Amino acid sequence: MPDNSPGAASRPLLAPARPAAVIAAVGVHLPERTVDVREAERTLAARNPGAAPRVPMVSRLTGVRQVHVLPDDWDASDLAVAAAEKLLATEGLAPADVDLLLFASASQDMVEPATSHIVAAKLGVRSPVMDVKNACNSVLNAVEVAEALIATGRYGTVLVACGEAPSRAVRWDVPDRATYLLSAPGYTMSDAGAAVLVRRATPAEADARDASGAPAPRGILASAFGAESTHWDVGMLPGGGTAHPRDLERTYFEIDGSRLRDAFLALGPGVVLDALGRAGLTWDDVALVAVHQVAVAYLDDVHAALGLPTGRTLVTVADHGNVASATLPLQLATALETGRVGPGDVVVLVGLAGGISIGATVVRL
């Protein structure tokens, strides 16, 4: 559970464990088609007079300007495959080099089979597969699973593939204002593919030192996770499961944006500070904090609630929307491509997800 106690920020640093795994590469695919959120809101108001406001509200309140939309003939698996193919090509790897494939996403192609099978078939990967699903923390949890399995010696190279297609569950016909309010957070949801390569750390990486001779191991240094599951109903996509197996009205997002925001802010900084302490580091050692983003307007409040330092985050939600669990890979890939971070830098990945849950992973690149 999150530690919100006054002494949480001053807990003693621990001696970090020797890293078992490294995040070796990240790949992202953003669909070319984009939708201007303001224009989409105007269309929504014209289609639903009286239910949706005539003046664009979502874009103004959230700061999200545009979202990505996958092609009509694509599925979530296609987004994951596009990102994974890019990563494998960049790293010079073949499908046979993958020991385990994890599909990690809030989206899925269908209830059965696991979407990981579909991704593997399209990639030509013949390794074991499984899905890891925890809303917008799916990728971060999959990295946790990959690291743990690598540490046991079971696998050496794990490919985490993510395909987020929330645009397929956004409701554009709203019969009344109450339905609009539950649907509105979905208008900032965006489609994306992401891939993360997690592999066994070499002895040289695990025992690396910095220029002064101090230990500076490369890899996943520490993680911490928590959940407040009593809030599971603040954000839902209810259709397709046993609760609502064939109710078409429940196949759209139902999100209470105000309750979700309050639940996130109540989590406190305990989990994040725990991960940092386990890594034996302080905020002074961190070059980048990648944090899940649902709106520009909420970032300052989230940073304050989680105790994150200012000036070390990268805003992606304004131009790319809320890409769910692809958010952290998108920020990391952007930071690497722009030179914001590089080899030897420490990055903290902070995930927030409906349910609700929080996670933090400390990585030296």
Side-chain angles (χ1 to χ4, degrees):
M1 296 296 292
D3 180 1
N4 300 323
S5 62
S10 58
R11 63 164 56 85
L13 301 181
L14 303 176
R18 195 167 182 263
V22 301
I23 293 181
V26 182
V28 172
H29 174 78
L30 296 171
E32 292 183 5
R33 180 188 169 196
T34 60
V35 173
D36 184 287
V37 176
R38 288 181 296 271
E39 291 303 316
E41 288 187 87
R42 292 189 181 100
T43 300
L44 180 75
R47 289 174 58 171
N48 304 272
R54 286 182 292 179
V55 177
M57 298 289 291
V58 173
S59 54
R60 181 173 66 84
L61 293 174
T62 65
V64 178
R65 293 187 286 268
Q66 67 175 12
V67 296
H68 297 268
V69 180
L70 79 169
D72 291 341
D73 59 348
W74 277 38
D75 292 315
S77 60
D78 295 301
L79 292 166
V81 167
E85 286 180 335
K86 184 185 301 184
L87 182 153
L88 293 175
T90 300
E91 294 299 302
L93 297 175
D97 295 317
V98 176
D99 299 327
L100 173 69
L101 186 147
L102 303 177
F103 178 76
S105 178
S107 303
Q108 58 190 18
D109 282 14
M110 54 189 72
V111 174
E112 287 289 347
T115 305
S116 53
H117 287 290
I118 303 173
V119 173
K122 290 178 178 179
L123 281 174
V125 169
R126 299 182 63 83
S127 73
V129 303
M130 70 176 82
D131 283 11
V132 176
K133 186 179 181 68
N134 184 22
C136 295
N137 271 348
S138 297
V139 167
L140 198 61
N141 284 132
V143 170
E144 178 190 20
V145 171
E147 180 204 15
L149 290 173
I150 288 171
T152 69
R154 181 74 58 85
Y155 302 105
T157 302
V158 180
L159 178 63
V160 176
C162 168
E164 292 289 12
S167 68
R168 296 279 168 86
V170 175
R171 184 167 191 157
W172 294 102
D173 291 302
V174 289
D176 50 46
R177 184 56 62 92
T179 303
Y180 164 78
L181 291 174
L182 285 176
S183 304
Y187 304 138
T188 63
M189 299 292 284
S190 187
D191 302 336
V196 181
L197 187 70
V198 185
R199 62 161 175 79
R200 183 179 296 116
T202 66
E205 290 168 335
D207 299 324
R209 294 179 176 271
D210 62 19
S212 69
R218 181 192 179 199
I220 298 173
L221 305 180
S223 295
F225 291 85
E228 290 284 357
S229 298
T230 54
H231 299 296
W232 67 267
D233 63 341
V234 300
M236 299 184 294
L237 184 54
T242 58
H244 306 281
R246 281 168 286 278
D247 186 347
L248 293 180
E249 288 298 307
R250 308 305 295 273
T251 58
Y252 303 103
F253 284 115
E254 300 175 13
I255 303 172
D256 188 326
S258 179
R259 284 183 62 206
L260 188 62
R261 175 178 178 270
D262 290 344
F264 282 157
L265 296 181
L267 287 170
V271 165
V272 180
L273 295 176
D274 186 21
L276 202 59
R278 289 172 185 267
L281 301 173
T282 70
W283 286 123
D284 291 339
D285 302 305
V286 177
L288 175 74
V289 182
V291 60
H292 183 63
Q293 299 171 8
V294 299
V296 176
Y298 294 168
L299 288 179
D300 287 344
D301 289 344
V302 169
H303 292 174
L306 299 181
L308 306 183
T310 58
R312 285 181 233 179
T313 54
L314 186 67
V315 179
T316 53
V317 69
D319 292 325
H320 301 297
N322 176 3
V323 291
S325 71
T327 299
L328 300 184
L330 171 60
Q331 290 177 37
L332 183 53
T334 302
L336 287 166
E337 290 169 2
T338 59
R340 176 81 175 264
V341 296
D345 284 334
V346 174
V347 175
V348 179
L349 308 175
V350 180
L352 300 166
I356 62 172
S357 66
I358 181 172
T361 297
V362 184
V363 182
R364 180 175 278 111
L365 301 174

